Structures are given as C-alpha cells and as structure tokens.
Amino acid sequence: QVHVVESGGGLVQAGGSLRLSCAASGRTFSRYAMGWFRQAPGKEREFVATISRSGSTTYYADSVKSRFTISRDNAKNTVYLQMNSLKPKDTAVYYCAARDGRSSWSEYEYDYWGQGTQVTVSS
C-alpha cells in the first residue's frame, strides 16, 4: 500500500500560479504511476494529468495542457503539479492518486487516493 497526501492548494487570482505537492509513503514510490484529478462543485471528477513511474511520460487533459506541468521526484517520494495561467474554472478540489502500474487517465485504474486540496481561482 501507499498513502498520499496533497498540499499546496489555496486562493490565487486568475493568471497566477500554484504548485501542488503530493507526498507519498509506503512501498517503493517509483513503482507507482501518479495522477492528478480534480472535482469542481456540482461537477464530476475529471482527469488532469498523469506521469509514468520513471517520469519519462506525461499526459494532460486538453483543458490544462500547456498550462500545467506534472513532475515527480522519486528521491523525495513526491509528485508535483505546477499550475500556471490559472483560470476561475480551474477552481476545484485536486486529488492525487497512485497506480501500481502504467500511467492512466481513468480514475478507476488508480489504487490509492489522497484527501484532496482545495484550489480556488478568483477573477
């Protein structure tokens, strides 16, 4: 098993930036592909980004591509989501998830989830 805890959320103005962190503990971090998902009020959870176990491959939702960057530091057991040019519609609870396998855009393929961190983007 692996436990993941998100941090770094907060309030930011449109056009600003935030860097989310997801600290993992448990079995070897590098064996897990990692993903970020988000859920806005009244909306379904949606895929944001994922990164392969080695960090060599990343995928992004079209809505965040070119603005968000997912990365990982296996030495620190941490995955990051750098969010630039934030928009009010990025407002959501952001969840970090771990998958014992290759990266995926499907929430149903992830095994472990964090509690979420709130990101609010004001206009």
Side-chain angles (χ1 to χ4, degrees), residues 27-33 52-55 72 74-75 77 101:
R27 302 181 70 181
T28 304
F29 177 66
S30 60
R31 71 178 289 173
Y32 297 97
S52 63
R53 288 164 286 187
S54 67
R72 67 190 297 159
N74 287 347
N77 280 18

Side-chain angles (χ1 to χ4, degrees), residues 13-92:
Q13 293 185 351
S17 299
L18 281 175
R19 182 178 174 88
L20 305 183
S21 297
C22 174
S25 62
R27 302 181 70 181
T28 304
F29 177 66
S30 60
R31 71 178 289 173
Y32 297 97
M34 303 295 294
W36 286 98
F37 295 80
R38 68 186 183 185
Q39 187 168 24
K43 305 293 184 181
E44 297 181 349
R45 182 184 289 170
E46 65 175 344
F47 166 75
V48 176
T50 186
I51 188 168
S52 63
R53 288 164 286 187
S54 67
S56 62
T57 303
T58 59
Y59 296 96
Y60 299 90
D62 288 342
S63 60
V64 306
K65 190 175 182 179
S66 299
R67 298 189 297 120
F68 291 10
T69 301
I70 187 171
S71 62
R72 67 190 297 159
D73 186 341
N74 287 347
K76 295 182 178 180
N77 280 18
T78 303
V79 63
Y80 305 96
L81 185 68
Q82 178 67 47
M83 306 185 295
N84 298 325
S85 301
L86 282 163
K87 305 174 181 179
K89 293 186 177 181
D90 293 319
T91 295

